[in-house]
Amino acid sequence: MKSVSIVVPVYNEGENILHFTNAVKEVMDKQPYKWDLLFVDDGSRDNSLELLEGLQAQYENIKVLALSCNRGHQIALTCGLDHAKGDAVISMDGDMQHPPALIPTLLAKWEEGYEIVQTIRQDTQGVSWLKKKTSKMYYQLINNLSNVHIRPGGSDFRLLDRRAVDAMNQYREHDRFLRGIVTLLGFNFAEVPFVAPPRFAGESKYSLKKMVKLAVDGIVGYSVLPLRTAFIMGIFLAFLSVCFTVHALYVYINGEAVSGWTTIMVCMSLFGGAQLIILGIMGEYLGRIYTEVKNRPLYLIKNQEVEK
Ligand code: UDP
Ligand code: MG
């Protein structure tokens, strides 16, 4: 019998865990597969870990990996993918926004021979217009800037065949954007549209800071165009400054230098600003080289008894 692992990163989801687990059990118990649920506790500060360990003790097919501190959704998910053993692995959120009722559809696609079954969010209920709009604009931007193509609405709710999981696990970059990595894998790819309901309980655990980090990782991780833009801008500005120097010398020779104050101020701020933008972009890449070179472990597992 084929086996299916369901990987769920959890951060302070105490109010959702039991409801979510029951919903998954109800769906999976009807499926003709051996299945297990692998929770990755991402350093929760509420009673999530306690609840999860209770479930682990109660059910043979529920396992819990506990990260030593909050490492973020993408790292928690990576830890789950590293340790999941199923012939297919489904990753999903633990707040019911990725409806367990959709799992049979993903499995049916897998049976048809697709190795990656990606869900596409058509709409998210209970989310502001601004968040939807910025999300859509973000995907348009990343698709224009890089050679990965991520459909707007692409989420981390997906099924991966064992081969795709093993391939994915070979990507070890630290600033991770799994939605991007999936597009680099190849394999047979199917899409399943869905409408995400609001969270069952609690607030989003993706703070603005975490969201901006993910967005920047997505762009900088898959495109060198911003770096090239800095280079092009640098050349353009160097040319401009030569013209400006000629102008300044001309003004100086004609004895009208003092009146140039406005020009100098405007130019100073213009160049200062441009330099800062370029430095900022450089810093973005440099920071990533730095984290890669350090090559720190992506995560540390607290409860070591769960073997690979
Ligand atoms: N999550 C996590 N670590 C974090 C933030 C979130 O493991 O630092 C988990 C969270 O518990 C949930 C999933 O990642 O299962 C998605 O997070 P959330 O629902 O808050 O994101 P949103 O749906 O608002 O984008
Ligand atoms: Mg959510």
Side-chain angles (χ1 to χ4, degrees), residues 93 95 97 199:
D93 292 353
D95 59 357
Q97 286 200 287
R199 273 182 154 264

PDB file of all heavy atoms in Angstrom, residues 93 95 97 199, ligand 2:
ATOM      1  N   ASP A  93      -0.919  24.293   5.693  1.00  0.00           N
ATOM      2  CA  ASP A  93      -0.955  25.073   6.934  1.00  0.00           C
ATOM      3  C   ASP A  93      -1.902  24.419   7.926  1.00  0.00           C
ATOM      4  O   ASP A  93      -2.841  23.721   7.538  1.00  0.00           O
ATOM      5  CB  ASP A  93      -1.454  26.503   6.656  1.00  0.00           C
ATOM      6  CG  ASP A  93      -0.459  27.294   5.824  1.00  0.00           C
ATOM      7  OD1 ASP A  93       0.652  26.786   5.593  1.00  0.00           O
ATOM      8  OD2 ASP A  93      -0.811  28.421   5.422  1.00  0.00           O
ATOM      9  N   ASP A  95      -4.045  25.927   9.943  1.00  0.00           N
ATOM     10  CA  ASP A  95      -5.084  26.844  10.426  1.00  0.00           C
ATOM     11  C   ASP A  95      -6.399  26.705   9.651  1.00  0.00           C
ATOM     12  O   ASP A  95      -7.264  27.571   9.740  1.00  0.00           O
ATOM     13  CB  ASP A  95      -4.585  28.288  10.339  1.00  0.00           C
ATOM     14  CG  ASP A  95      -4.211  28.677   8.913  1.00  0.00           C
ATOM     15  OD1 ASP A  95      -4.292  27.809   8.013  1.00  0.00           O
ATOM     16  OD2 ASP A  95      -3.850  29.849   8.694  1.00  0.00           O
ATOM     17  N   GLN A  97      -6.834  27.077   6.567  1.00  0.00           N
ATOM     18  CA  GLN A  97      -6.923  27.883   5.341  1.00  0.00           C
ATOM     19  C   GLN A  97      -6.591  27.051   4.111  1.00  0.00           C
ATOM     20  O   GLN A  97      -6.926  27.434   2.999  1.00  0.00           O
ATOM     21  CB  GLN A  97      -5.990  29.093   5.435  1.00  0.00           C
ATOM     22  CG  GLN A  97      -6.538  30.145   6.380  1.00  0.00           C
ATOM     23  CD  GLN A  97      -5.923  31.500   6.140  1.00  0.00           C
ATOM     24  OE1 GLN A  97      -4.772  31.714   6.469  1.00  0.00           O
ATOM     25  NE2 GLN A  97      -6.677  32.411   5.583  1.00  0.00           N
ATOM     26  N   ARG A 199      -9.070  31.863   8.545  1.00  0.00           N
ATOM     27  CA  ARG A 199      -8.502  31.014   9.593  1.00  0.00           C
ATOM     28  C   ARG A 199      -9.589  30.470  10.495  1.00  0.00           C
ATOM     29  O   ARG A 199     -10.545  31.179  10.768  1.00  0.00           O
ATOM     30  CB  ARG A 199      -7.613  31.870  10.504  1.00  0.00           C
ATOM     31  CG  ARG A 199      -6.251  32.008  10.057  1.00  0.00           C
ATOM     32  CD  ARG A 199      -5.469  32.832  11.059  1.00  0.00           C
ATOM     33  NE  ARG A 199      -4.098  32.414  10.891  1.00  0.00           N
ATOM     34  CZ  ARG A 199      -3.515  31.501  11.638  1.00  0.00           C
ATOM     35  NH1 ARG A 199      -4.139  30.991  12.662  1.00  0.00           N
ATOM     36  NH2 ARG A 199      -2.290  31.125  11.381  1.00  0.00           N
TER      37      ARG A 199
HETATM   38 MG    MG B   2      -3.096  31.013   7.307  1.00  0.00          MG
END
